[in-house]
Amino acid sequence: MINKKVKSVTEAVNGVKDGMTFMLGGFGLCGIPENCIQQLVKLNIKDLTCISNNAGVDDFGLGLLLQKHQIKKMISSYVGENDEFERQMLSGELDVELIPQGTLAERCRAAQAGIPAFYTPAGYGTEVADGKETREFNGKHYVLEHAFKADFAFVKAWKGDEAGNIIFKGTARNFNPVMCGAAKTTVVEVEELVPAGSLDPNQIHVPGIFVQRIYEGAKYEKRIEQRTVRKKS
C-alpha cells in the first residue's frame, strides 16, 4: 500500500509556485485547510488563482492571502463576509469570476471524474452565460460549463490514514470531497492521522486514490463567522 503521509505542512505544499491555480475546500470558515493557507501566506507566492466557495473573512482563511495581495483571481460563489474581498473586487484590483454555487461544485466534481465539460440550466439567460455555448434539450436551455484545471487542491478532513483514505465530520463535508482528485496534486490536512487499515472502510468518504499527500495539522481555530446566541434570561 502506498504511504501518502508527509511530515509537515512545509513538505505538503512543496512545489507551489507563483501563478498557479489552487482549489481550497471549505464553506465560509467551516472545514477550511487552515494550516495550508497559513503556509501559503508565509511562502509569499503571488499571482494566484484560487477556486473556493468564498474568500473567508478579512483576517482569517483566504482573507490572509488577500491582505497581502497574493491572489490575482478568485473563482467563487459569493463575496461573503470579507470586506477586503469586496473592496478589491469593486476597485478592479482583483479579477473575480462569480459562479452559481452548484455549478462551482459540479465543475470540481467533473474535474475529479475526468469529465471535460457538462451542460447545466443554472445561469441560462443571465450574465453567467455570456460568451458560453448554450443548447436546448427537451425544450429546456442549458449552458456548457468546463471542468476546472488546477495545480493543487488543498482539503481539510477530520480523520485520515497514511494511505490517504479520509473521513469528514459534519458540515466540513462541503466542497472538500469534490476537490479531492480534481487537481494535479491533492493535499489533505487532517485533525487525526492514523495508520493504514485503522479506519472502518464503511466510514471512509474519499478513498486514498484521490489523495497524493496527507499530514496531521495543528492548532485548528475553527472560527465561526456569525455567532447568534440567546439573551440571558
Short mmCIF file of all heavy atoms in Angstrom, two decimals, residues 13 16-22 24 34-51 55 58-75 82 84-85 87-88 93-95 154:
data_model
loop_
_atom_site.label_atom_id
_atom_site.label_comp_id
_atom_site.label_asym_id
_atom_site.label_seq_id
_atom_site.Cartn_x
_atom_site.Cartn_y
_atom_site.Cartn_z
N VAL A 13 3.14 21.30 0.97
CA VAL A 13 2.93 22.31 -0.07
C VAL A 13 4.15 22.46 -0.98
O VAL A 13 4.24 23.39 -1.79
CB VAL A 13 2.56 23.68 0.53
CG1 VAL A 13 1.31 23.57 1.38
CG2 VAL A 13 3.71 24.27 1.33
N VAL A 16 4.65 24.41 -4.80
CA VAL A 16 3.77 25.54 -5.15
C VAL A 16 4.62 26.69 -5.69
O VAL A 16 5.73 26.93 -5.22
CB VAL A 16 2.92 26.00 -3.94
CG1 VAL A 16 2.00 24.89 -3.47
CG2 VAL A 16 3.80 26.50 -2.81
N LYS A 17 4.08 27.39 -6.69
CA LYS A 17 4.82 28.47 -7.34
C LYS A 17 3.90 29.64 -7.67
O LYS A 17 2.67 29.49 -7.67
CB LYS A 17 5.46 27.96 -8.64
CG LYS A 17 6.47 26.84 -8.47
CD LYS A 17 6.98 26.37 -9.82
CE LYS A 17 7.96 25.21 -9.67
NZ LYS A 17 8.42 24.71 -11.00
N ASP A 18 4.50 30.76 -7.97
CA ASP A 18 3.75 31.92 -8.43
C ASP A 18 2.93 31.56 -9.67
O ASP A 18 3.39 30.80 -10.52
CB ASP A 18 4.69 33.07 -8.80
CG ASP A 18 5.42 33.67 -7.60
OD1 ASP A 18 5.07 33.30 -6.47
OD2 ASP A 18 6.33 34.49 -7.82
N GLY A 19 1.73 32.13 -9.76
CA GLY A 19 0.91 31.97 -10.95
C GLY A 19 0.11 30.69 -11.02
O GLY A 19 -0.59 30.45 -12.02
N MET A 20 0.18 29.85 -10.00
CA MET A 20 -0.55 28.58 -10.02
C MET A 20 -2.04 28.77 -9.70
O MET A 20 -2.46 29.83 -9.21
CB MET A 20 0.05 27.60 -9.02
CG MET A 20 1.32 26.93 -9.51
SD MET A 20 1.85 25.60 -8.37
CE MET A 20 3.01 24.74 -9.42
N THR A 21 -2.81 27.73 -10.00
CA THR A 21 -4.24 27.71 -9.67
C THR A 21 -4.47 26.70 -8.56
O THR A 21 -4.06 25.54 -8.67
CB THR A 21 -5.07 27.32 -10.91
OG1 THR A 21 -4.90 28.32 -11.93
CG2 THR A 21 -6.56 27.23 -10.55
N PHE A 22 -5.14 27.17 -7.50
CA PHE A 22 -5.39 26.32 -6.34
C PHE A 22 -6.88 26.15 -6.10
O PHE A 22 -7.65 27.09 -6.26
CB PHE A 22 -4.79 26.94 -5.06
CG PHE A 22 -3.30 27.09 -5.08
CD1 PHE A 22 -2.69 28.09 -4.32
CD2 PHE A 22 -2.49 26.26 -5.84
CE1 PHE A 22 -1.32 28.24 -4.31
CE2 PHE A 22 -1.11 26.40 -5.84
CZ PHE A 22 -0.52 27.39 -5.08
N LEU A 24 -9.41 25.30 -2.93
CA LEU A 24 -9.37 25.29 -1.47
C LEU A 24 -10.74 24.95 -0.93
O LEU A 24 -11.72 25.65 -1.19
CB LEU A 24 -8.89 26.64 -0.94
CG LEU A 24 -7.45 26.99 -1.39
CD1 LEU A 24 -7.49 28.10 -2.42
CD2 LEU A 24 -6.58 27.37 -0.21
N GLU A 34 -6.76 25.30 7.17
CA GLU A 34 -6.12 26.40 7.88
C GLU A 34 -4.59 26.37 7.79
O GLU A 34 -3.95 27.40 7.54
CB GLU A 34 -6.53 26.38 9.35
CG GLU A 34 -8.00 26.62 9.60
CD GLU A 34 -8.33 26.56 11.09
OE1 GLU A 34 -7.43 26.87 11.92
OE2 GLU A 34 -9.47 26.20 11.44
N ASN A 35 -4.01 25.21 8.03
CA ASN A 35 -2.55 25.10 8.05
C ASN A 35 -1.94 25.37 6.68
O ASN A 35 -0.92 26.06 6.57
CB ASN A 35 -2.13 23.72 8.55
CG ASN A 35 -2.37 23.53 10.03
OD1 ASN A 35 -1.46 23.62 10.84
ND2 ASN A 35 -3.61 23.28 10.41
N CYS A 36 -2.56 24.83 5.64
CA CYS A 36 -2.04 25.05 4.28
C CYS A 36 -2.11 26.52 3.90
O CYS A 36 -1.17 27.07 3.31
CB CYS A 36 -2.83 24.21 3.28
SG CYS A 36 -2.42 22.45 3.30
N ILE A 37 -3.22 27.16 4.22
CA ILE A 37 -3.37 28.58 3.88
C ILE A 37 -2.30 29.41 4.58
O ILE A 37 -1.66 30.29 3.97
CB ILE A 37 -4.78 29.08 4.24
CG1 ILE A 37 -5.82 28.43 3.33
CG2 ILE A 37 -4.86 30.60 4.11
CD1 ILE A 37 -7.26 28.73 3.72
N GLN A 38 -2.09 29.15 5.85
CA GLN A 38 -1.07 29.90 6.60
C GLN A 38 0.31 29.70 6.01
O GLN A 38 1.12 30.63 5.96
CB GLN A 38 -1.11 29.48 8.06
CG GLN A 38 -2.35 29.95 8.81
CD GLN A 38 -2.53 29.29 10.17
OE1 GLN A 38 -1.67 28.50 10.60
NE2 GLN A 38 -3.62 29.60 10.85
N GLN A 39 0.58 28.49 5.53
CA GLN A 39 1.89 28.23 4.93
C GLN A 39 2.02 28.95 3.59
O GLN A 39 3.11 29.47 3.26
CB GLN A 39 2.08 26.72 4.74
CG GLN A 39 3.46 26.32 4.23
CD GLN A 39 4.58 26.66 5.17
OE1 GLN A 39 4.37 26.86 6.37
NE2 GLN A 39 5.80 26.72 4.65
N LEU A 40 0.96 29.02 2.82
CA LEU A 40 1.00 29.74 1.55
C LEU A 40 1.25 31.23 1.78
O LEU A 40 1.94 31.89 1.00
CB LEU A 40 -0.31 29.55 0.79
CG LEU A 40 -0.62 28.12 0.31
CD1 LEU A 40 -2.00 28.05 -0.32
CD2 LEU A 40 0.43 27.64 -0.69
N VAL A 41 0.68 31.75 2.87
CA VAL A 41 0.92 33.15 3.23
C VAL A 41 2.41 33.35 3.53
O VAL A 41 3.03 34.31 3.06
CB VAL A 41 0.06 33.56 4.44
CG1 VAL A 41 0.45 34.96 4.92
CG2 VAL A 41 -1.42 33.54 4.08
N LYS A 42 2.99 32.44 4.31
CA LYS A 42 4.41 32.55 4.68
C LYS A 42 5.32 32.49 3.46
O LYS A 42 6.34 33.17 3.40
CB LYS A 42 4.78 31.42 5.65
CG LYS A 42 4.18 31.56 7.03
CD LYS A 42 4.60 30.38 7.91
CE LYS A 42 3.96 30.46 9.29
NZ LYS A 42 4.33 29.30 10.14
N LEU A 43 4.96 31.65 2.49
CA LEU A 43 5.79 31.50 1.30
C LEU A 43 5.75 32.73 0.39
O LEU A 43 6.61 32.91 -0.46
CB LEU A 43 5.34 30.26 0.51
CG LEU A 43 5.62 28.91 1.18
CD1 LEU A 43 4.98 27.78 0.39
CD2 LEU A 43 7.12 28.68 1.32
N ASN A 44 4.70 33.55 0.58
CA ASN A 44 4.56 34.81 -0.15
C ASN A 44 4.53 34.63 -1.67
O ASN A 44 5.03 35.47 -2.42
CB ASN A 44 5.69 35.77 0.23
CG ASN A 44 5.34 37.22 -0.08
OD1 ASN A 44 4.17 37.63 0.02
ND2 ASN A 44 6.33 38.00 -0.48
N ILE A 45 3.96 33.51 -2.13
CA ILE A 45 3.82 33.32 -3.57
C ILE A 45 2.72 34.24 -4.09
O ILE A 45 1.79 34.58 -3.38
CB ILE A 45 3.52 31.85 -3.93
CG1 ILE A 45 2.34 31.31 -3.10
CG2 ILE A 45 4.75 30.99 -3.72
CD1 ILE A 45 1.95 29.91 -3.46
N LYS A 46 2.85 34.65 -5.35
CA LYS A 46 1.99 35.70 -5.90
C LYS A 46 1.22 35.22 -7.13
O LYS A 46 1.43 34.14 -7.64
CB LYS A 46 2.85 36.91 -6.31
CG LYS A 46 3.73 37.48 -5.21
CD LYS A 46 2.93 38.30 -4.22
CE LYS A 46 3.84 39.02 -3.24
NZ LYS A 46 3.10 39.83 -2.26
N ASP A 47 0.32 36.11 -7.59
CA ASP A 47 -0.44 35.92 -8.84
C ASP A 47 -1.21 34.60 -8.86
O ASP A 47 -1.27 33.91 -9.88
CB ASP A 47 0.50 35.98 -10.06
CG ASP A 47 1.19 37.33 -10.18
OD1 ASP A 47 0.55 38.36 -9.87
OD2 ASP A 47 2.38 37.36 -10.56
N LEU A 48 -1.82 34.28 -7.75
CA LEU A 48 -2.55 33.03 -7.63
C LEU A 48 -3.98 33.14 -8.14
O LEU A 48 -4.61 34.20 -8.01
CB LEU A 48 -2.58 32.58 -6.16
CG LEU A 48 -1.24 32.40 -5.47
CD1 LEU A 48 -1.45 32.08 -4.00
CD2 LEU A 48 -0.41 31.32 -6.15
N THR A 49 -4.48 32.05 -8.69
CA THR A 49 -5.90 31.92 -8.97
C THR A 49 -6.45 30.92 -7.97
O THR A 49 -5.95 29.79 -7.88
CB THR A 49 -6.15 31.40 -10.40
OG1 THR A 49 -5.68 32.38 -11.34
CG2 THR A 49 -7.64 31.16 -10.65
N CYS A 50 -7.44 31.35 -7.19
CA CYS A 50 -7.98 30.50 -6.14
C CYS A 50 -9.44 30.15 -6.42
O CYS A 50 -10.27 31.04 -6.63
CB CYS A 50 -7.87 31.18 -4.78
SG CYS A 50 -6.17 31.34 -4.21
N ILE A 51 -9.73 28.86 -6.42
CA ILE A 51 -11.08 28.35 -6.60
C ILE A 51 -11.60 27.95 -5.23
O ILE A 51 -11.09 27.02 -4.62
CB ILE A 51 -11.09 27.14 -7.56
CG1 ILE A 51 -10.51 27.54 -8.92
CG2 ILE A 51 -12.50 26.58 -7.71
CD1 ILE A 51 -10.16 26.35 -9.80
N ALA A 55 -14.10 33.66 0.07
CA ALA A 55 -12.74 34.01 0.50
C ALA A 55 -12.65 34.25 1.99
O ALA A 55 -11.86 35.07 2.45
CB ALA A 55 -12.23 35.22 -0.27
N ASP A 58 -11.82 38.82 6.64
CA ASP A 58 -10.66 39.69 6.42
C ASP A 58 -9.37 39.18 7.06
O ASP A 58 -8.30 39.30 6.47
CB ASP A 58 -10.97 41.10 6.95
CG ASP A 58 -12.04 41.79 6.12
OD1 ASP A 58 -11.71 42.28 5.03
OD2 ASP A 58 -13.19 41.82 6.55
N ASP A 59 -9.46 38.63 8.26
CA ASP A 59 -8.24 38.29 8.99
C ASP A 59 -8.05 36.79 9.21
O ASP A 59 -7.31 36.37 10.10
CB ASP A 59 -8.23 39.00 10.35
CG ASP A 59 -9.40 38.57 11.24
OD1 ASP A 59 -10.36 37.96 10.71
OD2 ASP A 59 -9.35 38.83 12.45
N PHE A 60 -8.71 35.99 8.37
CA PHE A 60 -8.58 34.54 8.54
C PHE A 60 -8.90 33.84 7.24
O PHE A 60 -9.64 34.35 6.40
CB PHE A 60 -9.53 34.07 9.64
CG PHE A 60 -9.23 32.68 10.15
CD1 PHE A 60 -8.03 32.39 10.76
CD2 PHE A 60 -10.16 31.66 9.99
CE1 PHE A 60 -7.75 31.11 11.23
CE2 PHE A 60 -9.89 30.39 10.46
CZ PHE A 60 -8.68 30.11 11.08
N GLY A 61 -8.33 32.64 7.08
CA GLY A 61 -8.57 31.87 5.86
C GLY A 61 -7.97 32.57 4.65
O GLY A 61 -6.91 33.19 4.72
N LEU A 62 -8.65 32.50 3.52
CA LEU A 62 -8.16 33.13 2.30
C LEU A 62 -8.02 34.64 2.43
O LEU A 62 -7.31 35.28 1.65
CB LEU A 62 -9.08 32.79 1.12
CG LEU A 62 -8.94 31.37 0.56
CD1 LEU A 62 -9.95 31.15 -0.56
CD2 LEU A 62 -7.54 31.13 0.05
N GLY A 63 -8.71 35.20 3.41
CA GLY A 63 -8.57 36.63 3.65
C GLY A 63 -7.13 37.03 3.93
O GLY A 63 -6.72 38.16 3.63
N LEU A 64 -6.35 36.12 4.50
CA LEU A 64 -4.94 36.40 4.78
C LEU A 64 -4.14 36.55 3.49
O LEU A 64 -3.23 37.38 3.40
CB LEU A 64 -4.35 35.28 5.64
CG LEU A 64 -4.98 35.09 7.03
CD1 LEU A 64 -4.40 33.85 7.70
CD2 LEU A 64 -4.76 36.33 7.89
N LEU A 65 -4.47 35.74 2.49
CA LEU A 65 -3.80 35.85 1.19
C LEU A 65 -4.22 37.12 0.47
O LEU A 65 -3.42 37.77 -0.21
CB LEU A 65 -4.13 34.63 0.32
CG LEU A 65 -3.50 33.29 0.74
CD1 LEU A 65 -4.14 32.14 -0.01
CD2 LEU A 65 -1.99 33.31 0.48
N LEU A 66 -5.49 37.49 0.63
CA LEU A 66 -5.98 38.73 0.00
C LEU A 66 -5.32 39.95 0.63
O LEU A 66 -5.02 40.93 -0.06
CB LEU A 66 -7.50 38.81 0.15
CG LEU A 66 -8.32 37.93 -0.79
CD1 LEU A 66 -9.78 37.95 -0.37
CD2 LEU A 66 -8.19 38.41 -2.23
N GLN A 67 -5.12 39.92 1.92
CA GLN A 67 -4.49 41.04 2.62
C GLN A 67 -3.12 41.36 2.03
O GLN A 67 -2.73 42.53 1.92
CB GLN A 67 -4.33 40.73 4.11
CG GLN A 67 -5.58 40.97 4.94
CD GLN A 67 -5.31 40.74 6.42
OE1 GLN A 67 -4.24 40.28 6.82
NE2 GLN A 67 -6.28 41.07 7.25
N LYS A 68 -2.39 40.33 1.66
CA LYS A 68 -1.04 40.51 1.12
C LYS A 68 -1.03 40.58 -0.40
O LYS A 68 0.03 40.56 -1.03
CB LYS A 68 -0.14 39.36 1.59
CG LYS A 68 0.10 39.35 3.11
CD LYS A 68 1.02 38.23 3.52
CE LYS A 68 2.41 38.40 2.96
NZ LYS A 68 3.34 37.33 3.42
N HIS A 69 -2.22 40.65 -1.00
CA HIS A 69 -2.37 40.77 -2.45
C HIS A 69 -1.65 39.63 -3.18
O HIS A 69 -1.04 39.83 -4.23
CB HIS A 69 -1.86 42.13 -2.94
CG HIS A 69 -2.62 43.29 -2.40
ND1 HIS A 69 -3.76 43.79 -3.01
CD2 HIS A 69 -2.44 44.02 -1.28
CE1 HIS A 69 -4.23 44.80 -2.30
NE2 HIS A 69 -3.45 44.96 -1.24
N GLN A 70 -1.76 38.43 -2.61
CA GLN A 70 -1.16 37.26 -3.24
C GLN A 70 -2.08 36.63 -4.28
O GLN A 70 -1.63 35.85 -5.12
CB GLN A 70 -0.80 36.22 -2.18
CG GLN A 70 0.34 36.65 -1.26
CD GLN A 70 0.58 35.66 -0.13
OE1 GLN A 70 0.22 35.93 1.02
NE2 GLN A 70 1.17 34.51 -0.43
N ILE A 71 -3.37 36.97 -4.22
CA ILE A 71 -4.35 36.38 -5.14
C ILE A 71 -4.63 37.35 -6.29
O ILE A 71 -4.98 38.51 -6.07
CB ILE A 71 -5.66 36.05 -4.41
CG1 ILE A 71 -5.40 35.06 -3.27
CG2 ILE A 71 -6.69 35.46 -5.38
CD1 ILE A 71 -6.63 34.74 -2.43
N LYS A 72 -4.48 36.83 -7.50
CA LYS A 72 -4.76 37.62 -8.69
C LYS A 72 -6.22 37.47 -9.11
O LYS A 72 -6.86 38.42 -9.56
CB LYS A 72 -3.84 37.17 -9.84
CG LYS A 72 -4.09 37.85 -11.17
CD LYS A 72 -3.17 37.30 -12.25
CE LYS A 72 -3.51 35.84 -12.57
NZ LYS A 72 -2.71 35.30 -13.69
N LYS A 73 -6.75 36.24 -8.97
CA LYS A 73 -8.12 35.97 -9.40
C LYS A 73 -8.81 35.03 -8.42
O LYS A 73 -8.21 34.05 -7.98
CB LYS A 73 -8.13 35.33 -10.80
CG LYS A 73 -9.52 35.03 -11.34
CD LYS A 73 -9.48 34.47 -12.76
CE LYS A 73 -10.88 34.21 -13.29
NZ LYS A 73 -10.86 33.70 -14.68
N MET A 74 -10.06 35.36 -8.09
CA MET A 74 -10.89 34.48 -7.26
C MET A 74 -12.02 33.93 -8.11
O MET A 74 -12.71 34.68 -8.81
CB MET A 74 -11.50 35.26 -6.09
CG MET A 74 -10.58 35.45 -4.90
SD MET A 74 -10.07 33.93 -4.05
CE MET A 74 -11.64 33.12 -3.77
N ILE A 75 -12.20 32.62 -8.05
CA ILE A 75 -13.34 31.96 -8.70
C ILE A 75 -14.20 31.45 -7.56
O ILE A 75 -13.84 30.49 -6.87
CB ILE A 75 -12.86 30.82 -9.62
CG1 ILE A 75 -11.93 31.37 -10.71
CG2 ILE A 75 -14.07 30.11 -10.24
CD1 ILE A 75 -11.33 30.31 -11.60
N ASN A 82 -16.24 38.95 3.66
CA ASN A 82 -14.91 39.51 3.53
C ASN A 82 -14.96 40.90 2.89
O ASN A 82 -15.13 41.05 1.69
CB ASN A 82 -14.03 38.57 2.68
CG ASN A 82 -12.56 38.89 2.78
OD1 ASN A 82 -12.17 40.04 2.83
ND2 ASN A 82 -11.74 37.86 2.81
N GLU A 84 -12.50 43.04 2.54
CA GLU A 84 -11.35 43.28 1.67
C GLU A 84 -11.56 42.64 0.30
O GLU A 84 -11.17 43.21 -0.73
CB GLU A 84 -10.07 42.75 2.32
CG GLU A 84 -8.80 42.95 1.50
CD GLU A 84 -8.45 44.40 1.22
OE1 GLU A 84 -9.01 45.30 1.88
OE2 GLU A 84 -7.61 44.65 0.33
N PHE A 85 -12.17 41.48 0.28
CA PHE A 85 -12.53 40.83 -0.98
C PHE A 85 -13.45 41.75 -1.79
O PHE A 85 -13.21 42.01 -2.97
CB PHE A 85 -13.22 39.50 -0.67
CG PHE A 85 -13.60 38.66 -1.87
CD1 PHE A 85 -13.22 39.00 -3.16
CD2 PHE A 85 -14.35 37.51 -1.70
CE1 PHE A 85 -13.57 38.21 -4.25
CE2 PHE A 85 -14.71 36.70 -2.78
CZ PHE A 85 -14.32 37.07 -4.06
N ARG A 87 -13.83 45.00 -1.48
CA ARG A 87 -13.13 46.22 -1.87
C ARG A 87 -12.24 46.00 -3.09
O ARG A 87 -12.26 46.79 -4.03
CB ARG A 87 -12.27 46.72 -0.70
CG ARG A 87 -11.65 48.11 -0.93
CD ARG A 87 -10.52 48.39 0.02
NE ARG A 87 -9.36 47.53 -0.20
CZ ARG A 87 -8.50 47.70 -1.21
NH1 ARG A 87 -8.67 48.65 -2.11
NH2 ARG A 87 -7.47 46.88 -1.35
N GLN A 88 -11.47 44.90 -3.07
CA GLN A 88 -10.57 44.63 -4.19
C GLN A 88 -11.36 44.33 -5.47
O GLN A 88 -10.93 44.70 -6.56
CB GLN A 88 -9.65 43.46 -3.85
CG GLN A 88 -8.59 43.79 -2.81
CD GLN A 88 -7.57 42.68 -2.63
OE1 GLN A 88 -7.32 41.89 -3.55
NE2 GLN A 88 -6.96 42.61 -1.45
N GLU A 93 -8.88 45.72 -8.46
CA GLU A 93 -7.58 45.15 -8.10
C GLU A 93 -7.58 43.63 -8.24
O GLU A 93 -6.53 43.02 -8.48
CB GLU A 93 -7.23 45.51 -6.66
CG GLU A 93 -7.08 46.98 -6.38
CD GLU A 93 -6.90 47.26 -4.89
OE1 GLU A 93 -6.15 46.50 -4.24
OE2 GLU A 93 -7.52 48.21 -4.39
N LEU A 94 -8.75 43.04 -8.06
CA LEU A 94 -8.88 41.58 -8.06
C LEU A 94 -9.82 41.14 -9.17
O LEU A 94 -10.92 41.68 -9.31
CB LEU A 94 -9.42 41.12 -6.71
CG LEU A 94 -9.64 39.63 -6.49
CD1 LEU A 94 -8.30 38.90 -6.43
CD2 LEU A 94 -10.42 39.39 -5.19
N ASP A 95 -9.38 40.20 -9.97
CA ASP A 95 -10.24 39.61 -11.00
C ASP A 95 -11.13 38.58 -10.32
O ASP A 95 -10.63 37.67 -9.65
CB ASP A 95 -9.37 38.95 -12.08
CG ASP A 95 -10.20 38.42 -13.25
OD1 ASP A 95 -11.42 38.70 -13.30
OD2 ASP A 95 -9.62 37.73 -14.10
N PHE A 154 -6.27 21.89 -1.94
CA PHE A 154 -5.99 21.85 -0.51
C PHE A 154 -7.28 21.55 0.24
O PHE A 154 -8.24 22.31 0.16
CB PHE A 154 -5.37 23.16 -0.05
CG PHE A 154 -4.05 23.46 -0.70
CD1 PHE A 154 -3.94 24.43 -1.68
CD2 PHE A 154 -2.91 22.74 -0.35
CE1 PHE A 154 -2.73 24.70 -2.29
CE2 PHE A 154 -1.69 22.99 -0.96
CZ PHE A 154 -1.60 23.97 -1.93
#
